[in-house]
Amino acid sequence: MTLVEEIKKRKTVSFSEYQELALYDPSSGFYETGGGAGRDFITSVEVGAVFAEVIAAALDTWWGELGKPNPFFFVEVGAGRGTFATNLLGAEPACLGALKYITVERSLAMRETQEDTHHGAFEVRAELPKDLHREAGVVFANELLDNMPVDIYDDADELCVKVKAKAPLWTREVVGRPFPEQTTACKWLRDALGVFGEGRVVAIDYMRTTAEMRELPMEHWLRAYKGQAKAHSVFDNPGEFDITCDVAIDQLRWVRTPIKEATQAEFLKMHGIEGLREKAENDWRSGASVGDLAALKAKSRISEVAALTEAGGLGGFTVCEWAI
């Protein structure tokens, strides 16, 4: 059954139900049929290995702040094909001897890819762990919350977008400016805060406040992508596009106030990305005249650092940290 047929069978669905079907339907959902990072959109993970190397340094800092527990768990949620896990383990953080790495990925297709290509280098799960509440660790989510289903409300706090087969149905004239209610993301945060006995939750995403989103046209904070290009509408060809919504940081603060908030550029600089850039620049200068593989790799790493810290791009993302 196609997604349109499923919606037609239900007659109408809320936007969150529509988004859930479009992204995660077992037979036709975007993520279950091979869509995702690398081909349809670029995240910090796909830029290269530098991002994972800096997070590995941050992980050592968090480990030290907790007294260097052994075991020490790192739970990566929304792990996709396992690229970040491979790069972080390859960076060999100081905590590696104590580290227990778990990936969480709800897409069966992507979990199978992880298991086929990474051969037991880390544990693969479909849901947040519920058996580690006596342990210490970090729950980490990079560009996860923006894919969690949202409902869209108006100034009268009433659901103002429903979907029927082939077209959106605005149930009535919208009063004022629509905004997303991110119940699913807030529930995820509450659950993540309960995974460990001590540690932290770290989420990186493009974030705004609800008030800021109310000042913008809906298509500025609710978007669809395929092939690294923006689609005309989130309602075009459900299942063929990623649907993403800016994360309302004020709604996350209702769950618990973060202990730290920073841009991605600021966060990466705090954990040593400038040192990696300087080394890459020195390697490039010393090897540019030769043009050997090491020099070319250094040049690539300089470009990675620039992309990860660009204020108008990935560097402008928000990094939130919560204490457990």
Side-chain angles (χ1 to χ4, degrees):
M1 180 180 295
T2 67
L3 295 185
V4 170
E5 290 171 339
E6 176 66 25
I7 294 168
K8 188 178 293 185
K9 184 181 77 172
R10 300 190 192 187
K11 297 186 179 179
T12 62
V13 296
S14 67
F15 187 81
S16 60
E17 291 173 315
Y18 170 81
Q19 188 176 1
E20 174 75 18
L21 287 169
L23 295 181
Y24 300 109
D25 179 78
S27 61
S28 305
F30 177 75
Y31 284 108
E32 293 295 351
T33 55
R39 288 181 296 176
D40 296 286
F41 48 88
I42 296 295
T43 70
S44 296
V45 172
E46 277 75 41
V47 171
V50 168
F51 181 70
E53 291 174 26
V54 180
I55 301 301
L59 189 58
D60 282 337
T61 297
W62 299 327
W63 182 52
E65 290 174 352
L66 291 170
K68 298 186 176 181
N70 188 357
F72 178 53
F73 290 85
F74 186 75
V75 176
E76 180 199 352
V77 190
R81 297 173 176 83
T83 302
F84 177 78
T86 299
N87 288 338
L88 188 144
L89 293 171
E92 298 185 346
C95 64
L96 189 60
L99 190 63
K100 303 294 183 184
Y101 201 117
I102 299 172
T103 63
V104 176
E105 176 54 59
R106 66 173 295 183
S107 166
L108 175 60
M110 290 193 180
R111 291 200 307 274
E112 290 176 342
T113 296
Q114 289 184 41
E115 291 166 348
D116 289 345
T117 58
H118 301 290
H119 310 295
F122 42 82
E123 183 181 350
V124 181
R125 299 196 188 188
E127 299 178 337
L128 280 171
K130 297 180 180 178
D131 55 345
L132 301 178
H133 57 278
R134 297 180 183 273
E135 305 290 351
V138 174
V139 179
F140 181 81
N142 180 58
E143 293 194 56
L144 169 76
L145 302 184
D146 63 281
N147 279 136
M148 291 189 170
V150 301
D151 273 319
I152 302 171
Y153 285 78
D154 62 20
D155 286 347
D157 291 331
E158 293 191 27
L159 199 68
C160 66
V161 177
K162 289 188 178 181
V163 184
K164 63 180 180 180
K166 299 183 181 179
L169 173 65
W170 297 80
T171 55
R172 58 185 174 80
E173 185 178 353
V174 179
V175 178
R177 297 153 296 186
F179 65 93
E181 183 175 272
Q182 296 178 317
T183 305
T184 306
C186 290
K187 180 184 183 303
W188 177 88
L189 177 57
R190 283 191 292 271
D191 291 344
L193 289 166
V195 169
F196 296 116
E198 60 177 345
R200 71 182 58 206
V201 175
V202 181
I204 305 176
D205 231 308
Y206 32 91
M207 300 189 187
R208 305 178 192 264
T209 65
T210 304
E212 287 171 335
M213 284 188 264
R214 278 177 160 165
E215 294 297 322
L216 296 169
M218 191 170 71
E219 59 270 19
H220 282 226
W221 45 263
L222 182 67
R223 301 170 296 274
Y225 290 95
K226 183 176 182 179
Q228 301 180 32
K230 188 177 178 181
H232 174 70
S233 167
V234 296
F235 300 103
D236 289 344
N237 303 314
E240 295 184 14
F241 294 88
D242 179 44
I243 299 176
T244 179
C245 181
D246 288 2
V247 179
I249 191 170
D250 55 309
Q251 295 183 35
L252 299 181
R253 291 175 187 145
W254 297 341
V255 177
R256 184 177 298 178
T257 302
I259 58 171
K260 292 182 182 179
E261 294 178 19
T263 66
Q264 176 166 295
E266 293 167 339
F267 174 86
L268 296 178
K269 288 174 182 176
M270 282 189 286
H271 293 287
I273 199 170
E274 286 301 315
L276 297 180
R277 178 186 59 78
E278 290 172 6
K279 183 180 184 306
E281 289 177 345
N282 288 335
D283 291 346
W284 169 243
R285 281 194 295 267
S286 62
S289 61
V290 180
D292 60 9
L293 185 60
L296 293 175
K297 181 178 179 181
K299 185 177 182 181
S300 175
R301 288 170 68 82
I302 295 169
S303 297
E304 286 179 41
V305 172
L308 293 169
T309 57
E310 181 185 359
L314 296 171
F317 282 20
T318 300
V319 183
C320 287
E321 301 179 42
W322 292 269
I324 297 177

